[in-house]
Amino acid sequence: MRLISWNIDSLNATLTSDSARAVMSREVMNKIVEQNPEVIAIQETKLPRTGPTKKHEGILNDLFPDYEYVWRISEEPARKSYAGTMFLYKNHLKPSVTYPKIDAPDTMDVEGRMITLEFDDFYVTQVYTPNAGSGLVRLEERQQWDEKYAEYLSGLDAKKPVIATGDFNVAHKEIDIAHPDRNHLSAGFTDEEREGFTKLLNKGFTDTFRYVNGDVTGQYSWWNQRAKTSKINNSGWRIDYWLVSNRLADKVKKSDMLDSGERQDHTPLVLDIDID
């Protein structure tokens, strides 16, 4: 089974805009199509309150004719066209779909951040983890989210094995960021967020990239698009993950980044796993 996850930073723009960035995003989308995955997880869709428009649906159906798709959008009182997630899956698959709420603080539960697919023998779930924000204004709420999310994931794991993916908005170890020395007070690399991720893994989950690739360096999933040379200099962060229940770890055959070319921001992640 091949699965791909990507924080697209606006599915809306990718499908409908003619900007240079949107063109690059569509090129990445075409690479995903070529990979022919069974499941695609997309974060930060930024769709309108009503979900995909008829124009969005037409383009998605042309790109992914053999897929069903489900989505979750931000609802009031969260900001409009904010965050949002989507799953696309081959239409021979028949998962049960849920849209979890985890009793998260602030408006986090209505920002469209989680979708879970339940299959006969396992779950596939995705998350777009809230950012701690500029000046760490949301760090306390982020820590509460991390605790609630870990409880949710371990609750799934108690029922059947879990495959979890998404933008977790944290570089776990110093090896996961190009410049750890100057980012210890940056959102996504605070001690609190890194500890939250450690606690999540300690509940019985494996970071598949590290499991397969070991302590390889210089491998990142995100480069700041506001810094023009971030990708040229590979000044990146690894903040996107495929996690699996520990008992699935030996079934993972590949966990890697898909080359997104010159496009900065997030790059897609590919997971190959032998699972029925």
Side-chain angles (χ1 to χ4, degrees):
M1 190 176 194
R2 172 161 289 180
L3 306 95
I4 291 180
S5 180
W6 185 26
N7 179 327
I8 197 170
D9 188 28
S10 187
L11 177 66
N12 181 36
T14 298
L15 297 182
T16 61
S17 173
D18 292 323
S19 70
R21 178 174 168 75
V23 170
M24 287 192 288
S25 297
R26 284 196 288 274
E27 290 172 354
V28 177
M29 185 72 86
N30 289 333
K31 286 187 177 182
I32 291 175
V33 171
E34 291 170 4
Q35 293 289 316
N36 195 32
E38 275 79 15
V39 176
I40 304 166
I42 298 177
Q43 301 90 52
E44 209 169 354
T45 56
K46 297 184 178 179
L47 292 173
R49 283 270 196 247
T50 51
T53 63
K54 288 185 177 180
K55 183 174 183 179
H56 292 142
E57 290 177 347
I59 298 169
L60 285 170
N61 290 333
D62 287 341
L63 278 170
F64 302 102
D66 300 325
Y67 291 78
E68 304 288 339
Y69 54 91
V70 293
W71 65 89
R72 191 171 184 184
I73 54 175
S74 63
E75 306 165 20
E76 292 184 353
R79 300 201 307 270
K80 184 169 65 174
S81 299
Y82 174 64
T85 45
M86 175 180 283
F87 265 123
L88 299 99
Y89 50 88
K90 287 291 185 73
N91 53 25
H92 69 271
L93 301 173
K94 304 295 181 184
S96 297
V97 183
T98 56
Y99 306 89
K101 292 187 177 181
I102 58 174
D103 194 25
D106 197 16
T107 60
M108 291 175 176
D109 265 342
V110 292
E111 291 169 357
R113 294 184 175 276
M114 294 174 62
I115 308 176
T116 296
L117 307 180
E118 181 178 359
F119 297 89
D120 288 343
D121 299 316
F122 60 95
Y123 294 99
V124 179
T125 185
Q126 70 164 307
V127 64
Y128 174 37
T129 303
N131 194 297
S134 177
L136 304 178
V137 295
R138 221 179 185 189
L139 180 59
E140 183 177 343
E141 290 86 352
R142 163 61 187 272
Q143 289 175 265
Q144 295 174 49
W145 169 280
D146 286 345
E147 291 178 3
K148 298 288 188 179
Y149 178 76
E151 290 173 6
Y152 172 74
L153 218 60
S154 62
L156 292 184
D157 185 53
K159 301 172 187 175
K160 59 183 80 171
V162 176
I163 302 171
T165 192
D167 175 1
F168 284 78
N169 257 318
V170 61
H172 185 210
K173 302 281 184 69
E174 292 198 348
I175 196 175
D176 295 315
I177 184 172
H179 301 290
D181 52 324
R182 61 186 190 225
N183 280 293
H184 280 289
L185 297 179
S186 298
F189 198 61
T190 62
D191 291 344
E192 293 87 349
E193 291 163 298
R194 295 167 65 196
E195 181 182 2
F197 195 75
T198 296
K199 288 179 177 178
L200 171 61
L201 296 181
N202 287 345
K203 286 184 176 289
F205 300 97
T206 297
D207 174 353
T208 62
F209 179 83
R210 286 288 170 224
Y211 183 82
V212 172
N213 301 291
D215 289 335
V216 62
T217 60
Q219 297 292 303
Y220 308 118
S221 67
W222 178 79
W223 300 264
N224 188 346
Q225 61 177 303
R226 296 178 182 175
K228 292 183 179 180
T229 60
S230 66
K231 198 162 191 183
I232 294 170
N233 296 333
N234 199 27
S235 181
W237 301 46
R238 192 173 73 92
I239 58 176
D240 305 86
Y241 299 82
W242 279 105
L243 308 181
V244 297
S245 298
N246 288 344
R247 59 194 183 279
L248 292 183
D250 287 344
K251 296 181 179 292
V252 175
K253 303 304 175 185
K254 177 180 180 179
S255 182
D256 214 342
M257 292 77 173
L258 186 67
D259 184 7
S260 55
E262 295 180 4
R263 185 187 185 276
Q264 295 182 192
D265 207 63
H266 296 264
T267 202
L269 307 183
V270 182
L271 180 78
D272 288 349
I273 185 168
D274 284 344
I275 192 165
D276 295 328

